[in-house]
Amino acid sequence: MSIDESTAAKVAKLARIKVEEDALPALAQEFNAVLGFIEQLNEVDVEGVEPMVSVTPMRLKRREDVVTDGDQQEKVLSNAPDAREGFFTVPKVVD
């Protein structure tokens, strides 16, 4: 796959990146270099290789999935401009 200048201009517009007209050939060349590297990676045989999260074997720390109230009600409500009876108080917006 090859990226031409018009495609590079479209990608830049979609990414909302301002690219001057004279910089489009270099941008297209960079896109082609990236795509070439990806094509190179597609040639690597990964059959039988398990996905990994790190180069060193490690297990993620696990904890029990327990629902709690956070035990910080006063601390959270201390930031509220108006709190009553343990809740945030907000102005009424619907009649």
Side-chain angles (χ1 to χ4, degrees):
M1 178 177 201
S2 181
I3 302 291
D4 59 358
E5 291 178 31
S6 65
T7 306
K10 287 179 188 175
V11 171
K13 183 178 179 183
L14 289 172
R16 298 179 189 254
I17 300 171
K18 183 178 180 182
V19 179
E20 299 298 331
E21 200 69 33
D22 59 337
L24 285 174
L27 182 62
Q29 188 176 6
E30 286 185 47
F31 283 151
N32 286 320
V34 170
L35 290 175
F37 181 70
I38 291 171
E39 287 175 7
Q40 228 180 357
L41 289 176
N42 284 334
E43 295 173 3
V44 175
D45 180 23
V46 293
E47 190 67 33
V49 178
E50 291 187 33
M52 47 194 245
V53 294
S54 174
V55 293
T56 58
M58 56 193 262
R59 291 191 49 92
L60 297 176
K61 295 179 183 175
R62 300 191 183 267
R63 63 174 171 79
E64 278 189 49
D65 190 13
V66 179
V67 178
T68 66
D69 64 356
D71 215 17
Q72 299 181 12
Q73 184 179 20
E74 292 87 20
K75 188 175 178 183
V76 172
L77 291 176
S78 68
N79 294 321
D82 187 15
R84 295 183 194 152
E85 299 177 17
F87 296 97
F88 288 99
T89 306
V90 295
K92 185 176 180 180
V93 292
V94 179
D95 288 323

